[in-house]
Amino acid sequence: MTLDTTHREAPNLDAPILEAPNREAPILEAPILEARGLVKRFSRKPDIAMRLLALAGRPIDRRTVHAVEDVDLAVAPGEVVGLVGESGCGKSTLGRALAGLHPPTDGDVLYRGKPVRELTRAERLAYTLEVQLVFQDPYASLNPRRTVRQTVGEALAVHGLAPRGEIADRVEAALAEVGLDASYASRYPHEFSGGQRQRIGIARALAVDPRFLVCDEPVAALDVSVQAQVVNLFMDLREKRGLTYLFISHDLGLVRHICDRVAIMYLGRIVEEGPAQALFSDPQHPYTAALVAEIPDVRRRKRRFTPIAGEIPSPLAPPPGCAFHPRCPHAMPVCRETRPALAPVAVGRRAACHLHTAPGASPAAIATTVGVPS
Amino acid sequence: MNAPSPNAARPLLEVRGLRTVFHSLAGAYAAVDGVDLSIAPGEVVGLVGESGSGKSVTGFSLMRLVDPPGEIVAGEVLFEGRDLLSLPESAMRAIRGDRIAMIFQDPLMTLNPVLTIGEQMIEAVTEHHGVGERAARTRAIEALGQVGIASAAQRLRQYPHEFSGGMRQRVAIATAMLNQPDLIIADEPTTALDVTIQGQILHEMQKLCEASGTALLWITHDLGVVAELADRICVMYSGRIVETGTADDVLDAPRHPYTAGLLGSVPSVNAPGSRLHQIDGTAPPLSARPTGCPFRTRCGNVLPVCAEIDPPLAGPVPGRGWRCHNPMPERDAA
């Protein structure tokens, strides 16, 4: 099979048909947010020395980071989609691009079916308000010189969403919703613990009545016992407000717990995507298999660790062919040359691996990616 | 390779009543408040706690690396029967990095940015042993090879910034292993690393410690990692060890409500999509510990007596104990 790496599938033919056991089947609706062939690259702006050298005839070395490459991902209303990968894989960049913080280098972000760059003024405002972000570091994401009331109420005031006189009430309601006392509104961020700050960050997002939260490692900086509190808050809010989430995390145990559907990223691309339980119990990409094997388990004792070798290559110079081939125990000659397309491998599941298509290869090998603990 | 019984051998390290305080204008607050701990030769002990529980200060206290305003005010740290706390500083220096080594969360804490890896590793050998630089270099290359660093001879000429985070942690581990210490104190060494890199580091540590019979005190907040690595576990809360026992006892049959709460909040033990079991509230600051049991303000098993009497560490057999007036019901360890 020849694989044309520039080929893009028509979105949504295979996407979210969801089979989440023990849960209400999410409604098959038009996606609320969608990335279509999304590309985001960062290149260094030439500084004065480089420009002078260029004038002198030396070529400019514009090193480009391929943060997100050709990503298709759709999130339907009410879904919780997990975006998983190791540091540098582009998961935060993808989340920020979906929320409108990074303009795409190529491809499109679609908000309710319409490319963001074609939105009217009013639609653009709706997109900006309906899609909110919750950040990882509750110490860096709050302005230390503003009170909680100023931070949480700012968007309401700027966009005229509430009469001046009602803003204080709206702030208190948002604080109450995240489990903080109204008396905290006049305090400053340094007066709070990490968990409380993360609640303030969530209240700030909730104040404008969003439909969609992009959560970028929202509990990674919190203590274990506080993590559970904040995760429960997210789950309560989902139920009460019918929120949709893109949950970006490196913590697979957590993602398995709260997500309906999961996308695994490696070096800027989605390598596997599917319903959470199926993806974790039966990975269809060797990288997913390696990640799943590394989920720490309190029920496992004296494990013999036989991890996957190597590190993520630099996004400045991604390897040719499949980006995972230097670390993959199943790598074949075709993997070094041709990049596998993200293609359907089962109902509602996509994976980018030659083991599914190459002649003589068997996807059964994926289960043996990492040595089984003895 | 070692039986996970604390009685199997004379302890390599025995800590009794360790108390480390931090002085402030308002008074002295105990970050470590009467810690007892014992590690047998070759044993892997997990010291688990959340931020502010005193687990890192315990590690630093064992190495006598507590700087003012911190001060070790009481207790004994018996290393092969000798009290490290009463040794002169020169004798302590001879032990540090030779018999007991330490690895930190941030490997840049161990590595000097203006010296090559080689200069640092070679000094660590020649400082403690009367060997020449050539022999020390050979030892350094061997140690780097053991932690999976390829072309070690070339890597010795590089500076710490030329290594990735995972590679730096390997260098720190190789440096700690150089003199084949009897004990390594590892303070959250994999917390800042990616999952696949964490797996690699755990694998190397486990292999090396078993091969050389090195005991390991693994300080972490991650119960999952400790479960897969440790023979015994000590759970710290508010400066004390609140529960201790074999990994099976503590993880399968926890008796302290805090241990049970921590275990219950791990996503993998909850049904997918269900609310996680949560411990309400946050740990009290050192300056405002409640009277009696410090956990009582967050505890579901609280009794009136908890406000008055701080429960002592007690249990059925030596090496198994908990500090609680109203422990969780007894369960069988799997």
mmCIF file of all heavy atoms in Angstrom, chain A residues 86-87 223 225 229 232 235-236 257 294 297 299-305 308 310-311 327, chain B residues 50-51 164 194 196 200 203 206 227-228 231 248 251-252 271 273-276 278-279 281 298:
data_model
loop_
_atom_site.group_PDB
_atom_site.id
_atom_site.type_symbol
_atom_site.label_atom_id
_atom_site.label_comp_id
_atom_site.label_asym_id
_atom_site.label_seq_id
_atom_site.Cartn_x
_atom_site.Cartn_y
_atom_site.Cartn_z
ATOM 1 N N GLU A 86 4.201 12.963 25.752
ATOM 2 C CA GLU A 86 5.288 13.391 26.619
ATOM 3 C C GLU A 86 5.653 14.837 26.320
ATOM 4 O O GLU A 86 5.162 15.416 25.345
ATOM 5 C CB GLU A 86 6.486 12.463 26.409
ATOM 6 C CG GLU A 86 6.154 11.038 26.807
ATOM 7 C CD GLU A 86 7.323 10.101 26.630
ATOM 8 O OE1 GLU A 86 7.514 9.570 25.536
ATOM 9 O OE2 GLU A 86 8.055 9.907 27.607
ATOM 10 N N SER A 87 6.539 15.416 27.121
ATOM 11 C CA SER A 87 6.844 16.827 26.915
ATOM 12 C C SER A 87 7.445 17.034 25.539
ATOM 13 O O SER A 87 8.233 16.224 25.060
ATOM 14 C CB SER A 87 7.778 17.351 28.005
ATOM 15 O OG SER A 87 8.793 16.440 28.281
ATOM 16 N N ASP A 223 -0.852 18.421 44.845
ATOM 17 C CA ASP A 223 -0.611 17.243 45.662
ATOM 18 C C ASP A 223 -1.659 16.170 45.380
ATOM 19 O O ASP A 223 -2.776 16.476 44.964
ATOM 20 C CB ASP A 223 -0.685 17.628 47.143
ATOM 21 C CG ASP A 223 0.701 17.881 47.699
ATOM 22 O OD1 ASP A 223 1.619 17.168 47.286
ATOM 23 O OD2 ASP A 223 0.839 18.791 48.535
ATOM 24 N N SER A 225 -3.652 14.316 47.176
ATOM 25 C CA SER A 225 -4.982 14.380 47.789
ATOM 26 C C SER A 225 -5.773 15.556 47.227
ATOM 27 O O SER A 225 -6.994 15.515 47.146
ATOM 28 C CB SER A 225 -4.875 14.466 49.318
ATOM 29 O OG SER A 225 -4.367 15.708 49.726
ATOM 30 N N GLN A 229 -9.530 16.166 44.575
ATOM 31 C CA GLN A 229 -10.572 17.187 44.770
ATOM 32 C C GLN A 229 -10.842 17.940 43.476
ATOM 33 O O GLN A 229 -11.998 18.191 43.111
ATOM 34 C CB GLN A 229 -10.137 18.190 45.850
ATOM 35 C CG GLN A 229 -9.954 17.585 47.231
ATOM 36 C CD GLN A 229 -9.300 18.563 48.196
ATOM 37 O OE1 GLN A 229 -9.100 19.732 47.883
ATOM 38 N NE2 GLN A 229 -8.967 18.081 49.383
ATOM 39 N N ASN A 232 -12.552 15.779 40.824
ATOM 40 C CA ASN A 232 -13.977 15.651 41.135
ATOM 41 C C ASN A 232 -14.738 16.917 40.761
ATOM 42 O O ASN A 232 -15.872 16.847 40.289
ATOM 43 C CB ASN A 232 -14.169 15.343 42.616
ATOM 44 C CG ASN A 232 -13.848 13.888 42.938
ATOM 45 O OD1 ASN A 232 -13.842 13.047 42.046
ATOM 46 N ND2 ASN A 232 -13.582 13.607 44.193
ATOM 47 N N MET A 235 -15.452 16.856 37.159
ATOM 48 C CA MET A 235 -16.514 15.900 36.821
ATOM 49 C C MET A 235 -17.879 16.426 37.242
ATOM 50 O O MET A 235 -18.870 16.237 36.531
ATOM 51 C CB MET A 235 -16.188 14.549 37.457
ATOM 52 C CG MET A 235 -14.897 14.047 36.835
ATOM 53 S SD MET A 235 -14.312 12.396 37.121
ATOM 54 C CE MET A 235 -15.518 11.605 37.966
ATOM 55 N N ASP A 236 -17.927 17.123 38.397
ATOM 56 C CA ASP A 236 -19.194 17.720 38.825
ATOM 57 C C ASP A 236 -19.646 18.797 37.839
ATOM 58 O O ASP A 236 -20.828 18.898 37.499
ATOM 59 C CB ASP A 236 -19.038 18.355 40.211
ATOM 60 C CG ASP A 236 -18.808 17.315 41.287
ATOM 61 O OD1 ASP A 236 -19.040 16.119 41.006
ATOM 62 O OD2 ASP A 236 -18.379 17.683 42.398
ATOM 63 N N HIS A 257 -9.230 7.536 33.518
ATOM 64 C CA HIS A 257 -10.348 7.641 34.438
ATOM 65 C C HIS A 257 -11.438 8.593 33.952
ATOM 66 O O HIS A 257 -12.620 8.289 34.064
ATOM 67 C CB HIS A 257 -9.842 8.103 35.810
ATOM 68 C CG HIS A 257 -10.917 8.133 36.845
ATOM 69 N ND1 HIS A 257 -11.400 6.988 37.422
ATOM 70 C CD2 HIS A 257 -11.625 9.157 37.368
ATOM 71 C CE1 HIS A 257 -12.351 7.305 38.274
ATOM 72 N NE2 HIS A 257 -12.504 8.613 38.264
ATOM 73 N N GLU A 294 3.658 1.822 31.203
ATOM 74 C CA GLU A 294 4.332 2.640 32.220
ATOM 75 C C GLU A 294 3.373 3.273 33.226
ATOM 76 O O GLU A 294 3.813 3.995 34.109
ATOM 77 C CB GLU A 294 5.151 3.753 31.551
ATOM 78 C CG GLU A 294 6.347 3.256 30.755
ATOM 79 C CD GLU A 294 7.283 2.407 31.584
ATOM 80 O OE1 GLU A 294 7.385 2.636 32.796
ATOM 81 O OE2 GLU A 294 7.904 1.493 31.011
ATOM 82 N N ASP A 297 1.014 1.454 38.920
ATOM 83 C CA ASP A 297 -0.167 0.786 39.444
ATOM 84 C C ASP A 297 0.108 0.398 40.894
ATOM 85 O O ASP A 297 1.048 -0.344 41.172
ATOM 86 C CB ASP A 297 -0.448 -0.460 38.599
ATOM 87 C CG ASP A 297 -1.768 -1.124 38.991
ATOM 88 O OD1 ASP A 297 -2.297 -0.791 40.066
ATOM 89 O OD2 ASP A 297 -2.244 -1.966 38.224
ATOM 90 N N ARG A 299 -1.314 -1.607 42.614
ATOM 91 C CA ARG A 299 -1.565 -3.011 42.894
ATOM 92 C C ARG A 299 -0.439 -3.921 42.400
ATOM 93 O O ARG A 299 -0.471 -5.118 42.573
ATOM 94 C CB ARG A 299 -2.902 -3.444 42.273
ATOM 95 C CG ARG A 299 -4.085 -2.822 43.005
ATOM 96 C CD ARG A 299 -5.324 -2.858 42.164
ATOM 97 N NE ARG A 299 -5.125 -2.104 40.920
ATOM 98 C CZ ARG A 299 -6.118 -1.760 40.104
ATOM 99 N NH1 ARG A 299 -7.338 -2.097 40.376
ATOM 100 N NH2 ARG A 299 -5.859 -1.071 39.015
ATOM 101 N N ARG A 300 0.561 -3.298 41.753
ATOM 102 C CA ARG A 300 1.644 -4.085 41.180
ATOM 103 C C ARG A 300 2.845 -3.991 42.118
ATOM 104 O O ARG A 300 3.199 -2.917 42.571
ATOM 105 C CB ARG A 300 1.983 -3.506 39.814
ATOM 106 C CG ARG A 300 2.730 -4.417 38.922
ATOM 107 C CD ARG A 300 2.488 -4.098 37.468
ATOM 108 N NE ARG A 300 2.780 -2.717 37.118
ATOM 109 C CZ ARG A 300 2.521 -2.208 35.924
ATOM 110 N NH1 ARG A 300 1.964 -2.933 35.000
ATOM 111 N NH2 ARG A 300 2.808 -0.958 35.667
ATOM 112 N N ARG A 301 3.485 -5.097 42.453
ATOM 113 C CA ARG A 301 4.622 -5.089 43.388
ATOM 114 C C ARG A 301 5.878 -5.596 42.719
ATOM 115 O O ARG A 301 5.828 -6.513 41.927
ATOM 116 C CB ARG A 301 4.333 -5.980 44.603
ATOM 117 C CG ARG A 301 3.169 -5.604 45.437
ATOM 118 C CD ARG A 301 3.329 -4.285 46.140
ATOM 119 N NE ARG A 301 2.095 -3.518 46.070
ATOM 120 C CZ ARG A 301 0.993 -3.823 46.729
ATOM 121 N NH1 ARG A 301 0.969 -4.818 47.541
ATOM 122 N NH2 ARG A 301 -0.091 -3.094 46.574
ATOM 123 N N LYS A 302 6.996 -5.019 43.128
ATOM 124 C CA LYS A 302 8.315 -5.498 42.712
ATOM 125 C C LYS A 302 8.338 -5.801 41.221
ATOM 126 O O LYS A 302 8.678 -6.889 40.785
ATOM 127 C CB LYS A 302 8.691 -6.734 43.527
ATOM 128 C CG LYS A 302 9.247 -6.379 44.879
ATOM 129 C CD LYS A 302 10.695 -6.006 44.746
ATOM 130 C CE LYS A 302 11.204 -5.118 45.850
ATOM 131 N NZ LYS A 302 12.567 -4.682 45.601
ATOM 132 N N ARG A 303 7.934 -4.806 40.467
ATOM 133 C CA ARG A 303 7.859 -4.993 39.037
ATOM 134 C C ARG A 303 9.263 -5.048 38.446
ATOM 135 O O ARG A 303 10.161 -4.361 38.911
ATOM 136 C CB ARG A 303 7.081 -3.808 38.472
ATOM 137 C CG ARG A 303 7.113 -3.699 37.012
ATOM 138 C CD ARG A 303 6.291 -2.493 36.617
ATOM 139 N NE ARG A 303 6.652 -2.110 35.277
ATOM 140 C CZ ARG A 303 6.589 -0.873 34.837
ATOM 141 N NH1 ARG A 303 6.191 0.085 35.622
ATOM 142 N NH2 ARG A 303 6.919 -0.601 33.618
ATOM 143 N N ARG A 304 9.440 -5.885 37.439
ATOM 144 C CA ARG A 304 10.679 -5.841 36.660
ATOM 145 C C ARG A 304 10.453 -4.827 35.556
ATOM 146 O O ARG A 304 9.615 -5.041 34.697
ATOM 147 C CB ARG A 304 10.987 -7.196 36.031
ATOM 148 C CG ARG A 304 11.118 -8.336 37.004
ATOM 149 C CD ARG A 304 12.375 -8.211 37.810
ATOM 150 N NE ARG A 304 12.031 -7.663 39.123
ATOM 151 C CZ ARG A 304 12.891 -7.483 40.100
ATOM 152 N NH1 ARG A 304 14.140 -7.761 39.927
ATOM 153 N NH2 ARG A 304 12.500 -6.994 41.252
ATOM 154 N N PHE A 305 11.149 -3.727 35.602
ATOM 155 C CA PHE A 305 10.934 -2.707 34.591
ATOM 156 C C PHE A 305 11.691 -3.059 33.313
ATOM 157 O O PHE A 305 12.895 -3.245 33.334
ATOM 158 C CB PHE A 305 11.405 -1.348 35.102
ATOM 159 C CG PHE A 305 10.566 -0.836 36.229
ATOM 160 C CD1 PHE A 305 10.934 -1.057 37.527
ATOM 161 C CD2 PHE A 305 9.401 -0.142 35.968
ATOM 162 C CE1 PHE A 305 10.158 -0.581 38.568
ATOM 163 C CE2 PHE A 305 8.624 0.329 37.001
ATOM 164 C CZ PHE A 305 9.006 0.110 38.309
ATOM 165 N N ILE A 308 10.650 0.919 27.257
ATOM 166 C CA ILE A 308 11.025 1.178 25.881
ATOM 167 C C ILE A 308 12.263 2.077 25.878
ATOM 168 O O ILE A 308 12.419 2.929 26.744
ATOM 169 C CB ILE A 308 9.851 1.813 25.140
ATOM 170 C CG1 ILE A 308 10.124 1.837 23.653
ATOM 171 C CG2 ILE A 308 9.551 3.217 25.630
ATOM 172 C CD1 ILE A 308 8.909 1.525 22.858
ATOM 173 N N GLY A 310 15.267 4.790 24.431
ATOM 174 C CA GLY A 310 15.355 6.039 23.676
ATOM 175 C C GLY A 310 14.507 7.167 24.232
ATOM 176 O O GLY A 310 13.751 7.006 25.175
ATOM 177 N N GLU A 311 14.691 8.344 23.612
ATOM 178 C CA GLU A 311 13.948 9.535 24.010
ATOM 179 C C GLU A 311 13.257 10.122 22.795
ATOM 180 O O GLU A 311 13.568 9.763 21.666
ATOM 181 C CB GLU A 311 14.909 10.577 24.600
ATOM 182 C CG GLU A 311 15.633 10.085 25.827
ATOM 183 C CD GLU A 311 16.451 11.177 26.497
ATOM 184 O OE1 GLU A 311 16.222 12.349 26.200
ATOM 185 O OE2 GLU A 311 17.313 10.825 27.297
ATOM 186 N N ARG A 327 12.687 4.244 18.078
ATOM 187 C CA ARG A 327 12.470 3.626 19.390
ATOM 188 C C ARG A 327 11.623 2.361 19.288
ATOM 189 O O ARG A 327 11.365 1.717 20.299
ATOM 190 C CB ARG A 327 11.758 4.617 20.320
ATOM 191 C CG ARG A 327 12.508 5.915 20.513
ATOM 192 C CD ARG A 327 11.708 6.891 21.355
ATOM 193 N NE ARG A 327 11.671 6.513 22.760
ATOM 194 C CZ ARG A 327 10.955 7.160 23.665
ATOM 195 N NH1 ARG A 327 10.213 8.192 23.320
ATOM 196 N NH2 ARG A 327 10.967 6.768 24.919
ATOM 197 N N GLU B 50 3.075 14.073 50.934
ATOM 198 C CA GLU B 50 2.753 15.192 50.059
ATOM 199 C C GLU B 50 3.708 16.341 50.359
ATOM 200 O O GLU B 50 4.522 16.260 51.274
ATOM 201 C CB GLU B 50 1.303 15.609 50.287
ATOM 202 C CG GLU B 50 0.332 14.504 49.930
ATOM 203 C CD GLU B 50 -1.110 14.950 50.078
ATOM 204 O OE1 GLU B 50 -1.655 14.840 51.174
ATOM 205 O OE2 GLU B 50 -1.671 15.426 49.098
ATOM 206 N N SER B 51 3.587 17.434 49.586
ATOM 207 C CA SER B 51 4.503 18.537 49.837
ATOM 208 C C SER B 51 4.274 19.084 51.240
ATOM 209 O O SER B 51 3.141 19.200 51.697
ATOM 210 C CB SER B 51 4.353 19.637 48.780
ATOM 211 O OG SER B 51 3.014 19.878 48.499
ATOM 212 N N SER B 164 20.083 15.942 27.881
ATOM 213 C CA SER B 164 18.649 16.122 28.105
ATOM 214 C C SER B 164 18.334 15.847 29.580
ATOM 215 O O SER B 164 19.179 15.332 30.320
ATOM 216 C CB SER B 164 17.867 15.165 27.216
ATOM 217 O OG SER B 164 18.061 13.839 27.666
ATOM 218 N N ASP B 194 9.512 12.465 31.861
ATOM 219 C CA ASP B 194 8.402 11.878 31.122
ATOM 220 C C ASP B 194 8.211 10.420 31.495
ATOM 221 O O ASP B 194 9.137 9.773 31.960
ATOM 222 C CB ASP B 194 8.692 11.983 29.622
ATOM 223 C CG ASP B 194 8.337 13.349 29.097
ATOM 224 O OD1 ASP B 194 7.289 13.865 29.499
ATOM 225 O OD2 ASP B 194 9.101 13.903 28.301
ATOM 226 N N THR B 196 7.946 7.547 29.832
ATOM 227 C CA THR B 196 8.817 6.483 29.311
ATOM 228 C C THR B 196 10.225 6.626 29.874
ATOM 229 O O THR B 196 10.911 5.631 30.108
ATOM 230 C CB THR B 196 8.874 6.473 27.764
ATOM 231 O OG1 THR B 196 9.347 7.723 27.301
ATOM 232 C CG2 THR B 196 7.518 6.190 27.168
ATOM 233 N N GLN B 200 12.528 4.066 32.311
ATOM 234 C CA GLN B 200 13.928 3.696 32.082
ATOM 235 C C GLN B 200 14.765 3.903 33.341
ATOM 236 O O GLN B 200 15.580 3.054 33.717
ATOM 237 C CB GLN B 200 14.507 4.541 30.936
ATOM 238 C CG GLN B 200 13.882 4.244 29.580
ATOM 239 C CD GLN B 200 14.246 5.299 28.538
ATOM 240 O OE1 GLN B 200 15.038 6.192 28.809
ATOM 241 N NE2 GLN B 200 13.652 5.199 27.365
ATOM 242 N N HIS B 203 14.071 1.370 36.004
ATOM 243 C CA HIS B 203 14.675 0.109 35.587
ATOM 244 C C HIS B 203 16.165 0.081 35.931
ATOM 245 O O HIS B 203 16.659 -0.881 36.522
ATOM 246 C CB HIS B 203 14.459 -0.043 34.075
ATOM 247 C CG HIS B 203 15.100 -1.253 33.483
ATOM 248 N ND1 HIS B 203 14.715 -2.531 33.821
ATOM 249 C CD2 HIS B 203 16.093 -1.392 32.576
ATOM 250 C CE1 HIS B 203 15.439 -3.396 33.145
ATOM 251 N NE2 HIS B 203 16.292 -2.736 32.384
ATOM 252 N N GLN B 206 16.758 -0.023 39.793
ATOM 253 C CA GLN B 206 16.430 -1.330 40.355
ATOM 254 C C GLN B 206 17.549 -2.333 40.063
ATOM 255 O O GLN B 206 18.002 -3.053 40.949
ATOM 256 C CB GLN B 206 15.120 -1.791 39.724
ATOM 257 C CG GLN B 206 14.420 -2.880 40.478
ATOM 258 C CD GLN B 206 13.084 -3.197 39.833
ATOM 259 O OE1 GLN B 206 12.974 -3.227 38.611
ATOM 260 N NE2 GLN B 206 12.075 -3.415 40.634
ATOM 261 N N ALA B 227 4.883 1.501 44.969
ATOM 262 C CA ALA B 227 4.291 0.161 45.026
ATOM 263 C C ALA B 227 5.105 -0.811 44.177
ATOM 264 O O ALA B 227 5.303 -1.963 44.559
ATOM 265 C CB ALA B 227 2.846 0.205 44.526
ATOM 266 N N GLU B 228 5.581 -0.312 43.033
ATOM 267 C CA GLU B 228 6.266 -1.202 42.107
ATOM 268 C C GLU B 228 7.733 -1.410 42.460
ATOM 269 O O GLU B 228 8.407 -2.233 41.873
ATOM 270 C CB GLU B 228 6.142 -0.633 40.689
ATOM 271 C CG GLU B 228 4.696 -0.563 40.250
ATOM 272 C CD GLU B 228 4.525 -0.053 38.843
ATOM 273 O OE1 GLU B 228 5.486 0.487 38.282
ATOM 274 O OE2 GLU B 228 3.425 -0.203 38.303
ATOM 275 N N ASP B 231 10.319 -2.485 49.063
ATOM 276 C CA ASP B 231 10.047 -3.596 49.963
ATOM 277 C C ASP B 231 9.152 -3.126 51.098
ATOM 278 O O ASP B 231 8.206 -3.785 51.480
ATOM 279 C CB ASP B 231 11.359 -4.123 50.575
ATOM 280 C CG ASP B 231 12.322 -4.601 49.523
ATOM 281 O OD1 ASP B 231 11.921 -5.440 48.704
ATOM 282 O OD2 ASP B 231 13.480 -4.124 49.514
ATOM 283 N N ASP B 248 3.140 -4.694 50.874
ATOM 284 C CA ASP B 248 1.855 -5.398 50.837
ATOM 285 C C ASP B 248 0.940 -4.937 51.960
ATOM 286 O O ASP B 248 -0.240 -4.669 51.750
ATOM 287 C CB ASP B 248 2.080 -6.915 50.937
ATOM 288 C CG ASP B 248 2.661 -7.490 49.650
ATOM 289 O OD1 ASP B 248 2.502 -6.830 48.606
ATOM 290 O OD2 ASP B 248 3.261 -8.571 49.704
ATOM 291 N N LEU B 251 -0.117 -1.086 51.449
ATOM 292 C CA LEU B 251 -0.921 -0.780 50.259
ATOM 293 C C LEU B 251 -2.197 -1.626 50.178
ATOM 294 O O LEU B 251 -3.209 -1.171 49.673
ATOM 295 C CB LEU B 251 -0.086 -0.993 48.992
ATOM 296 C CG LEU B 251 1.134 -0.079 48.879
ATOM 297 C CD1 LEU B 251 2.001 -0.499 47.707
ATOM 298 C CD2 LEU B 251 0.715 1.381 48.727
ATOM 299 N N ASP B 252 -2.141 -2.852 50.666
ATOM 300 C CA ASP B 252 -3.327 -3.704 50.568
ATOM 301 C C ASP B 252 -4.210 -3.618 51.807
ATOM 302 O O ASP B 252 -5.416 -3.839 51.722
ATOM 303 C CB ASP B 252 -2.912 -5.173 50.365
ATOM 304 C CG ASP B 252 -2.244 -5.397 49.024
ATOM 305 O OD1 ASP B 252 -2.545 -4.613 48.098
ATOM 306 O OD2 ASP B 252 -1.438 -6.331 48.896
ATOM 307 N N ALA B 271 -13.662 3.163 39.765
ATOM 308 C CA ALA B 271 -14.295 2.784 38.495
ATOM 309 C C ALA B 271 -14.182 3.950 37.527
ATOM 310 O O ALA B 271 -14.354 5.099 37.927
ATOM 311 C CB ALA B 271 -15.762 2.445 38.736
ATOM 312 N N GLY B 273 -14.723 6.952 35.286
ATOM 313 C CA GLY B 273 -15.816 7.902 35.214
ATOM 314 C C GLY B 273 -16.481 8.197 36.543
ATOM 315 O O GLY B 273 -17.311 9.096 36.635
ATOM 316 N N SER B 274 -16.140 7.429 37.602
ATOM 317 C CA SER B 274 -16.763 7.697 38.898
ATOM 318 C C SER B 274 -16.041 8.848 39.589
ATOM 319 O O SER B 274 -14.922 9.212 39.207
ATOM 320 C CB SER B 274 -16.685 6.450 39.776
ATOM 321 O OG SER B 274 -15.331 6.182 40.088
ATOM 322 N N ARG B 275 -16.692 9.430 40.597
ATOM 323 C CA ARG B 275 -15.996 10.438 41.399
ATOM 324 C C ARG B 275 -14.865 9.747 42.144
ATOM 325 O O ARG B 275 -15.027 8.641 42.635
ATOM 326 C CB ARG B 275 -16.964 11.056 42.402
ATOM 327 C CG ARG B 275 -17.878 12.109 41.822
ATOM 328 C CD ARG B 275 -18.696 12.712 42.947
ATOM 329 N NE ARG B 275 -17.814 13.319 43.923
ATOM 330 C CZ ARG B 275 -17.640 14.606 44.136
ATOM 331 N NH1 ARG B 275 -18.274 15.423 43.509
ATOM 332 N NH2 ARG B 275 -16.807 15.096 45.001
ATOM 333 N N LEU B 276 -13.726 10.438 42.246
ATOM 334 C CA LEU B 276 -12.621 9.864 42.998
ATOM 335 C C LEU B 276 -12.889 10.026 44.484
ATOM 336 O O LEU B 276 -13.476 11.017 44.915
ATOM 337 C CB LEU B 276 -11.320 10.585 42.653
ATOM 338 C CG LEU B 276 -10.806 10.467 41.224
ATOM 339 C CD1 LEU B 276 -9.610 11.375 41.028
ATOM 340 C CD2 LEU B 276 -10.424 9.035 40.926
ATOM 341 N N GLN B 278 -11.931 11.337 47.801
ATOM 342 C CA GLN B 278 -11.055 12.465 48.078
ATOM 343 C C GLN B 278 -10.885 12.707 49.567
ATOM 344 O O GLN B 278 -11.785 12.438 50.357
ATOM 345 C CB GLN B 278 -11.555 13.739 47.394
ATOM 346 C CG GLN B 278 -12.851 14.302 47.952
ATOM 347 C CD GLN B 278 -13.255 15.592 47.259
ATOM 348 O OE1 GLN B 278 -13.314 15.653 46.039
ATOM 349 N NE2 GLN B 278 -13.536 16.624 48.039
ATOM 350 N N ILE B 279 -9.699 13.184 49.942
ATOM 351 C CA ILE B 279 -9.461 13.649 51.304
ATOM 352 C C ILE B 279 -9.767 15.134 51.269
ATOM 353 O O ILE B 279 -9.164 15.875 50.485
ATOM 354 C CB ILE B 279 -7.996 13.437 51.722
ATOM 355 C CG1 ILE B 279 -7.592 11.973 51.554
ATOM 356 C CG2 ILE B 279 -7.777 13.886 53.147
ATOM 357 C CD1 ILE B 279 -6.109 11.731 51.810
ATOM 358 N N GLY B 281 -9.944 19.125 52.381
ATOM 359 C CA GLY B 281 -9.014 20.046 53.029
ATOM 360 C C GLY B 281 -7.596 19.888 52.536
ATOM 361 O O GLY B 281 -7.311 19.165 51.595
ATOM 362 N N ARG B 298 -8.900 16.538 58.922
ATOM 363 C CA ARG B 298 -9.294 16.049 57.599
ATOM 364 C C ARG B 298 -9.784 14.609 57.665
ATOM 365 O O ARG B 298 -10.045 13.991 56.639
ATOM 366 C CB ARG B 298 -8.075 16.097 56.656
ATOM 367 C CG ARG B 298 -7.425 17.443 56.548
ATOM 368 C CD ARG B 298 -6.148 17.377 55.716
ATOM 369 N NE ARG B 298 -6.433 17.188 54.292
ATOM 370 C CZ ARG B 298 -5.488 16.956 53.375
ATOM 371 N NH1 ARG B 298 -4.235 16.875 53.733
ATOM 372 N NH2 ARG B 298 -5.816 16.799 52.120
#
